Amino acid sequence: MSGHEEGEPKELAEFRAEVKAWIAANKPAKPAFKLPLSFLEVESKEQFDYLREWQRKVYDAGYLGYDVPKEYGGQGVDRARFRVVGQELARSRAPFMVNLIALQWAGPTIMTYGTEEQKKAYLQGILSAEEIWCQGFSEPGSGSDLASLQTRAVKVDGGYRVTGHKVWTTLAHFAKYMILMARTDPAASKYSGISYFLFPMETEGVDIQPLVKLSGEGGFNQIVFDDAFMPESALLGEEGQGWNIAMTTLMFERGANEGVGRERAAGFVERINTLTEVAKRQKRGGKPVSEDPVFRDRIVRAWIEAQAMALAAARSEAPQLNADRPLALPLMNKLVMSEWAQHVAELGCEMLGPEGALWVGDDHAPDGGDWPRAFMNSFGMTIGGGTSEILRNIIGERVLGLPKSK
């Protein structure tokens, strides 16, 4: 797919050309150190600083924040421009926005439920990457069954004191704030006893412990709260409203925010282009992999699926096409996109043959070992925001109307 969008209005086409030219002139050079493949793997300070500087540069240039009103530090809500910037960043293979949890999940949730003071306090820092956010939902005993969480927030004079344990907390080691789910009323039902907080991480009683993933990389953490204080102003919405607010955050995480799906789809089309480069370059039996009919068929199938995801993402932005089942497309898109990325990474490893087993740091590893690395890291995407199994259950029950599983 080219950068041209058929039928795009002249003004938008000119804006697209402007964004494309700016990215070409300002995209940072590849650093000497290994960059993470996604926000899930940001481990070192040098990786973080490089990515944070890039986000600041995009924001300062006026290309980040087309989903946020100007009074809160954004560019003013313009969904078409928001989509164009996301697409062109993906197509140019530019570095990702490091504050993604804030940009795509926390920020839209604050826009939906926050007070005027909270919107003014947090949104600009999210866009400029001055204030990094992490997510405190999962716990060691409550991942897929989120409503069973045990972390407590006890009301005290002037605020709350938090005690508990969160896990799989991406970016916590750089975060200033956490979107936190905590139980405020243990006597209430497991859903109505939960509240939602904008928790300040730089607080006494917060212990951040790094976790090492399957790939050997960091980026995840576990957080232990020991009577950690937060002010009353950290409460988002009302006490006991946390479950409903969290469901809104998860919908944003699954791509329900307008324009995000098409941005992700543009990235997938670019991934196919990268895969095709490998197929032309890599030899099997003395011939390029691209001449192998089985691999050609699999690449074309993946390309067709990428086009289908792009069309589904475009369809999700037309309310009249989603009125009967508004949850269907965001849920299906998250499920399909995360599994598709895993399949493509696996296909890349297969095309490389035995060399596909060579890991990061091996001088002989094709593309620096990024294909097996992408495959190992892809499992995080099929777990975060609801596992594939959970999403299939939700789609079956809430979209298709099938009986509840027991």
Side-chain angles (χ1 to χ4, degrees), residues 72-379:
Y72 307 131
Q75 308 299 331
V77 177
D78 186 331
R79 293 293 177 184
R81 292 191 174 215
F82 175 83
R83 169 174 52 80
V84 164
V85 172
Q87 287 177 327
E88 293 306 323
L89 285 170
R91 288 169 180 166
S92 70
R93 304 183 190 181
F96 58 84
M97 297 294 110
V98 69
N99 209 13
L100 185 138
I101 292 172
L103 290 170
Q104 296 192 2
W105 313 345
T109 304
I110 293 170
M111 279 295 299
T112 304
Y113 289 98
T115 63
E116 190 67 12
E117 290 73 19
Q118 287 171 327
K119 293 174 186 175
K120 288 180 177 175
Y122 298 120
L123 293 175
Q124 183 163 357
I126 285 173
L127 292 167
S128 65
E130 288 297 319
E131 295 168 351
I132 305 299
W133 289 64
C134 61
Q135 182 188 45
F137 282 17
S138 295
E139 298 183 2
S142 56
S144 296
D145 183 14
L146 186 58
S148 66
L149 64 87
Q150 297 299 312
T151 294
R152 287 288 312 277
V154 178
K155 191 77 181 286
V156 296
D157 187 25
Y160 299 82
R161 289 202 172 272
V162 182
T163 302
H165 188 179
K166 297 291 180 180
V167 72
W168 315 128
T169 314
T170 306
L171 288 172
H173 49 316
F174 297 117
K176 185 171 183 179
Y177 294 103
M178 167 189 282
I179 44 176
L180 170 69
M181 288 180 70
R183 194 165 295 284
T184 47
D185 185 357
S189 77
K190 68 177 186 177
Y191 296 103
S192 60
I194 297 171
S195 298
Y196 194 115
F197 298 96
L198 311 176
F199 180 82
M201 293 288 285
E202 296 167 357
T203 302
E204 190 175 347
V206 177
D207 184 15
I208 302 171
Q209 302 171 3
L211 298 174
V212 179
K213 292 186 288 189
L214 186 68
S215 64
E217 295 175 285
F220 283 172
N221 304 273
Q222 61 177 350
I223 315 298
V224 178
F225 300 91
D226 182 11
D227 204 31
F229 178 79
M230 60 180 166
E232 285 181 347
S233 59
L235 178 67
L236 187 66
E238 299 176 358
E239 275 195 26
Q241 197 184 3
W243 181 255
N244 291 334
I245 299 176
M247 292 305 99
T248 301
T249 301
L250 286 174
M251 289 307 295
F252 288 130
E253 184 173 350
R254 293 163 185 163
N257 199 5
E258 190 177 344
V260 171
R262 295 176 78 172
E263 175 189 339
R264 291 179 182 175
F268 290 149
V269 172
E270 197 53 41
R271 190 65 171 161
I272 287 290
N273 292 337
T274 306
L275 191 71
T276 305
E277 291 169 8
V278 174
K280 292 178 178 176
R281 181 189 74 212
Q282 194 70 19
K283 298 285 181 61
R284 282 290 191 90
K287 295 181 179 179
V289 170
S290 59
E291 295 182 13
D292 183 302
V294 174
F295 279 116
R296 285 175 67 90
D297 179 73
R298 293 176 67 182
I299 293 170
V300 170
R301 188 183 297 274
W303 182 86
I304 292 171
E305 290 168 349
Q307 299 303 318
M309 288 189 289
L311 293 172
R315 180 186 166 195
S316 68
E317 294 178 14
Q320 61 272 31
L321 298 178
N322 301 280
D324 53 341
R325 293 174 175 174
L327 293 177
L329 277 174
L331 290 168
M332 289 192 292
N333 284 345
K334 194 277 176 184
L335 173 64
V336 172
M337 288 179 176
S338 59
E339 293 193 346
W340 180 91
Q342 193 168 93
H343 294 156
V344 167
E346 186 176 22
L347 176 56
C349 292
E350 290 184 37
M351 290 196 308
L352 293 172
E355 292 180 349
L358 299 180
W359 191 247
V360 177
D362 189 318
D363 292 339
H364 302 289
D367 298 323
D370 275 348
W371 288 100
R373 184 185 182 209
F375 177 65
M376 299 285 265
N377 284 327
S378 69
F379 290 90

